[in-house]
Amino acid sequence: MMHIKHEAEERHVLTVTVDNEAGILAKIAGLFTARGYNIDSLTVADITENHAVSRITIVTHGPPSQIDQIHAQLERLVPVHKVVDLTEAGPYVQRELALIKVAGAGEKRVEALRIADVFRAKPVDTTTESFIFELTGAPDKIDTFVAIMRELGLVEVGRTGVVGMIRGAEEA
């Protein structure tokens, strides 16, 4: 009888510093697609004054061997300067921004406002029937807030994806 050993899936936050050129995002997405890997979250931002370099933050999951392979493949792409696995590099900070639309009246409306206050979610739009809350925090905080709002009239959610940085004074 043959036993297949399955490695445990792990969530990893990768930052990729790249030349800011046309097609680089497609190359990176293609690398994941070609190997059947999933991207849970992806953010891109220009990080230099002359707009020459961008930072891409990718959240993905898989067994350690797969994460190592992703890391190695990303480093082989020509316009990539540096790949850092924040999850492996040490303590890091991660944040995400979400807009959460909640509709409701009466007690549900009061409860949505009360819970938003507990989570430090800021109402950025208000009508007599709905709110749009802005919430910044770790992804699990946003997940929890969204789950609670489902009970109170969740209409729609928009999320930016994760950005992250190594803690401390040094650049990663």
Side-chain angles (χ1 to χ4, degrees):
M1 188 160 143
M2 193 168 106
H3 293 283
I4 299 172
K5 186 179 174 199
H6 293 285
E7 293 182 87
E9 295 251 323
E10 298 176 349
R11 177 182 178 274
H12 283 255
V13 179
L14 308 172
T15 61
V16 186
T17 308
V18 299
D19 287 337
N20 193 2
E21 63 181 45
I24 182 58
L25 192 56
K27 281 183 185 177
I28 288 173
L31 183 149
F32 277 78
T33 304
R35 288 157 186 81
Y37 303 154
N38 194 36
I39 295 174
D40 299 328
S41 160
L42 181 125
T43 60
V44 183
D46 175 9
I47 60 168
T48 55
E49 199 173 325
N50 65 358
H51 309 291
V53 178
S54 288
R55 178 182 174 116
I56 300 172
T57 305
I58 302 168
V59 178
T60 189
H61 65 276
S65 59
Q66 179 179 309
I67 302 298
D68 291 344
Q69 190 175 24
I70 289 168
H71 193 282
Q73 296 288 337
L74 285 169
E75 283 184 330
R76 281 201 266 286
L77 290 178
V78 171
V80 171
H81 295 267
K82 182 167 49 172
V83 179
V84 177
D85 184 344
L86 297 180
T87 314
E88 302 272 320
Y92 69 100
V93 174
Q94 63 177 329
R95 290 293 179 267
E96 185 175 8
L97 168 77
L99 295 176
I100 300 110
K101 186 185 292 185
V102 179
E107 277 306 307
K108 285 195 172 189
R109 186 173 172 84
V110 171
E111 185 67 358
L113 269 176
R114 188 189 68 74
I115 291 168
D117 189 51
V118 169
F119 277 81
R120 294 191 180 103
K122 185 169 74 173
V124 292
D125 183 70
T126 305
T127 69
T128 55
E129 305 92 36
S130 68
F131 294 106
I132 297 177
F133 296 109
E134 176 185 296
L135 180 59
T136 306
D140 57 341
K141 174 185 177 181
I142 293 171
D143 291 343
T144 302
F145 183 76
V146 168
I148 293 169
M149 288 300 139
R150 269 196 180 82
E151 309 290 314
L152 299 174
L154 180 70
V155 175
E156 187 177 0
V157 178
R159 294 175 76 154
T160 60
V162 171
V163 292
M165 275 186 188
I166 294 288
R167 295 186 62 193
E170 289 77 41
E171 182 181 349

